Amino acid sequence: AAEGKGEGEEWVDDMSASPIVLLSVRYKDASSRNLSMFGHRKYNMGLRIHILWNMVLLLLDIFLLPFYLVILVTCYRFPAIVYMMHKDAEAVLGVDLGFGREVDTSMLSQTWAGDLGMTFGINSRFEVFRQVIYMAIDVLTAPALLILCLTWYRLKYLKGQFTYFSTSWHFHILLQLNVALLDLMLALPCILVLVTFYRFRYVLAAREDPPWIVSHVDMRVRFEILRQCGFIFLDLATTPPLVLTWVTV
């Protein structure tokens, strides 16, 4: 028995030990980790918990396998998984080297952490599930994105908005689609202001005023179009009295 062991205590430091011995031994601080509910002091509870945890991960992997294949085939959301695999590897290596946050490395796969700088840990598994949810939202917002691509003029406002880890990308797609629909509804008033000409200069002047931002969209010019269109109808309503006044002068 090695120095520091209690009488009759054993532990294993090499991987060549027989499975029977491995299942019967406990940690070096067995006295402090003694679980009286299991009776015998040498009961290796840590190893059994590790086995159960890996069974849970196996079932989780089977559940996530179709989602993982979808992400792998579609490619464009796979970088998020790779990023999280690097984070899992950093957690494993950080604990092994004695720095970084304290984590239970039994919950992380150490298979490739040192060789490739990546490992498929529990965080990576959760990231697969999250990216599949985001991909489903991508499918739902695909028609809106297609409309923006066909109209093209609002596409520049989507530049740099894509992110792997939030739904802000989908929010910007729906926002720009709403702006495009609003512009479509403003097309007739804008044509009316343009045809009458004499009030169109006020719309052009509104472009020089400070922006009026509503939900990340400058509404200054759009509001001015509606206002000038309203003034045109007021001008039409006051035209007969104006003509009558001019004739009677």
Side-chain angles (χ1 to χ4, degrees):
E3 182 181 356
K5 298 177 186 176
E7 184 178 354
E9 291 184 0
E10 293 181 296
W11 57 74
V12 178
D13 293 324
D14 61 274
M15 299 303 295
S16 61
S18 66
I20 296 179
V21 174
L22 195 61
L23 286 170
S24 64
V25 300
R26 296 206 55 240
Y27 304 96
K28 293 185 179 183
D29 56 345
S31 59
S32 63
R33 302 195 185 190
N34 181 30
L35 301 178
S36 58
M37 71 182 75
F38 294 102
H40 200 280
R41 184 177 179 181
K42 295 181 180 180
Y43 194 92
N44 194 342
M45 188 61 190
L47 179 60
R48 288 165 174 80
I49 293 177
H50 187 74
I51 292 173
L52 291 176
W53 175 249
N54 279 275
M55 176 58 69
V56 172
L57 292 182
L58 174 62
L59 296 176
L60 185 60
D61 288 342
I62 294 174
F63 172 74
L64 291 176
L65 181 60
F67 303 132
Y68 188 77
L69 291 177
V70 169
I71 293 176
L72 187 62
V73 170
T74 54
C75 295
Y76 77 102
R77 284 199 171 272
F78 190 70
I81 309 300
V82 175
Y83 173 82
M84 198 57 66
M85 290 173 69
H86 282 297
K87 287 296 183 182
D88 280 344
E90 289 176 5
V92 173
L93 296 176
V95 173
D96 290 345
L97 296 176
F99 62 87
R101 60 188 178 91
E102 292 295 329
V103 295
D104 182 4
T105 55
S106 66
M107 298 173 64
L108 301 170
S109 171
Q110 302 184 39
T111 309
W112 302 316
D115 297 332
L116 301 179
M118 295 187 298
T119 185
F120 198 64
I122 188 66
N123 294 324
S124 298
R125 291 174 170 89
F126 287 152
E127 191 60 38
V128 169
F129 189 68
R130 184 168 70 164
Q131 292 302 320
V132 168
I133 294 176
Y134 288 160
M135 188 176 296
I137 302 176
D138 290 343
V139 173
L140 295 177
T141 56
L145 182 60
L146 179 61
I147 293 174
L148 292 176
C149 290
L150 294 177
T151 55
W152 68 265
Y153 85 104
R154 301 299 306 178
L155 277 180
K156 62 180 180 179
Y157 299 102
L158 293 178
K159 184 178 180 181
Q161 300 297 335
F162 181 80
T163 175
Y164 291 108
F165 304 108
S166 74
T167 56
S168 62
W169 165 249
H170 310 100
F171 167 77
H172 283 286
I173 290 177
L174 296 178
L175 175 63
Q176 296 306 323
L177 176 64
N178 288 329
V179 174
L181 294 176
L182 176 61
D183 291 346
L184 180 62
M185 290 187 291
L186 288 175
L188 187 58
C190 185
I191 291 174
L192 178 61
V193 174
L194 181 61
V195 168
T196 54
F197 183 72
Y198 77 104
R199 286 202 169 272
F200 189 68
R201 60 193 178 96
Y202 297 107
V203 175
L204 295 179
R207 300 179 61 185
E208 307 299 328
D209 295 336
W212 179 23
I213 305 299
V214 178
S215 296
H216 309 282
V217 179
D218 186 3
M219 299 295 294
R220 175 71 66 183
V221 175
R222 294 174 174 86
F223 175 76
E224 192 63 33
I225 290 174
L226 288 177
R227 189 171 72 157
Q228 295 303 323
C229 184
F231 287 160
I232 289 175
F233 285 108
L234 288 177
D235 292 344
L236 290 175
T238 57
T239 297
L242 179 62
V243 171
L244 181 60
T245 302
W246 180 75
V247 170
T248 56
V249 171

